[in-house]
Amino acid sequence: MYNKKIIGSKMDRKRVIINFIFIIIYSGFWTFLGIYMVLGNLFNLNDITKMYLLILSVLILFIIQLPMLGATQRIEYSNETIEFYSIKGFMNQFQEVINILINKSSPSAISISIKELDSIKLSYRETLGGYGIEGYALKLSFLMKNGTIICLSPENMDKTEEGAYFSLLNMLENNSIKIIDNFNLKDGLIKDSVYFQNYVKKLIDSGCIK
């Protein structure tokens, strides 16, 4: 079995526990201030009522915030497979946290066998960020030997390590997978997402991409 490399962020048990403790402390601190310093004086609550409200409030905040740790979108790849994980939705994220704590692997949303892969095409799509700022995201189209096309366009490209996608493409080339790169986008993947954004913009401004 080949060691897998990860593009994106994958939470482990240690990080979940650390964040778990942080959530409890953070929620407890602000809830304590809100109930004991504000509501307690405002409504003249007794200590027992304030304690019950504190426990209930911390529990509610904990339940709301905990699933956020399970949100992920990542690619795991080796010389055998490329797997895409996208965990969204409250219950799915909550289940992901549980799986991490009990060391249970979650199923991937998409699994691509390198042996069944014929080629990969690089393109891009326009995105709209905060304050209406336009950007560009990488789009990967995997053409399988049976004619099936699988498209991926990760949303968290800005959270990947420098050159992560460039390394993925090199791995595919080493496995005799053809790279279709009509816009020469691979050269824009040698660094981080900011470099990629500027690279695509320069291609568009120069008329290389229409």
Side-chain angles (χ1 to χ4, degrees), residues 113-129:
S113 172
I114 301 298
K115 293 181 179 180
E116 299 174 3
L117 180 61
D118 179 74
S119 61
I120 177 174
K121 181 179 180 180
L122 305 184
S123 57
Y124 73 97
R125 63 179 177 86
E126 295 183 356
T127 61
L128 194 62

Side-chain angles (χ1 to χ4, degrees), residues 6-209:
I6 299 175
I7 299 178
S9 178
K10 181 179 182 180
M11 189 72 71
D12 56 27
R13 180 190 286 183
K14 181 179 179 180
R15 291 172 62 190
V16 167
I17 293 175
I18 291 175
N19 281 276
F20 175 88
I21 296 172
F22 174 79
I23 289 175
I24 293 179
I25 295 175
Y26 180 84
S27 300
F29 174 76
W30 288 107
T31 304
F32 174 82
L33 290 181
I35 293 177
Y36 276 79
M37 302 301 178
V38 179
L39 295 181
N41 294 328
L42 187 62
F43 296 101
N44 195 27
L45 303 176
N46 59 51
D47 289 340
I48 295 179
T49 301
K50 287 189 287 187
M51 182 182 67
Y52 282 141
L53 287 175
L54 176 63
I55 294 174
L56 180 62
S57 298
V58 170
L59 181 61
I60 292 174
L61 289 173
F62 177 75
I63 292 175
I64 293 174
Q65 296 180 52
L66 182 63
M68 296 180 184
L69 302 178
T72 182
Q73 188 176 95
R74 68 184 188 273
I75 294 175
E76 296 185 11
Y77 70 92
S78 68
N79 286 309
E80 295 179 327
T81 60
I82 298 174
E83 295 180 306
F84 178 69
Y85 295 82
S86 183
I87 310 297
K88 297 181 179 181
F90 183 87
M91 292 306 299
N92 291 332
Q93 292 171 202
F94 188 83
Q95 183 61 52
E96 176 69 6
V97 173
I98 300 300
N99 289 343
I100 293 172
L101 291 175
I102 63 177
N103 281 333
K104 180 180 178 182
S105 299
S106 299
S108 59
I110 298 174
S111 182
I112 299 171
S113 172
I114 301 298
K115 293 181 179 180
E116 299 174 3
L117 180 61
D118 179 74
S119 61
I120 177 174
K121 181 179 180 180
L122 305 184
S123 57
Y124 73 97
R125 63 179 177 86
E126 295 183 356
T127 61
L128 194 62
Y131 303 101
I133 299 176
E134 294 183 353
Y136 309 97
L138 179 66
K139 183 178 179 180
L140 306 172
S141 299
F142 298 88
L143 177 59
M144 310 304 293
K145 292 179 179 178
N146 63 2
T148 302
I149 299 177
I150 301 173
C151 297
L152 296 180
S153 186
E155 299 172 359
N156 62 343
M157 187 177 176
D158 58 326
K159 299 180 181 179
T160 61
E161 294 183 4
E162 186 171 296
Y165 286 98
F166 190 83
S167 298
L168 168 62
L169 296 175
N170 283 339
M171 183 278 291
L172 292 175
E173 286 184 319
N174 292 335
N175 281 275
S176 301
I177 304 300
K178 181 181 179 181
I179 308 295
I180 303 173
D181 188 9
N182 298 328
F183 303 134
N184 297 317
L185 295 178
K186 183 182 177 183
D187 291 339
L189 297 170
I190 58 176
K191 295 184 179 180
D192 57 17
S193 63
V194 176
Y195 183 86
F196 179 78
Q197 302 285 329
N198 294 331
Y199 181 86
V200 175
K201 190 175 186 306
K202 287 181 180 179
L203 290 177
I204 294 175
D205 292 342
S206 64
C208 295
I209 298 179

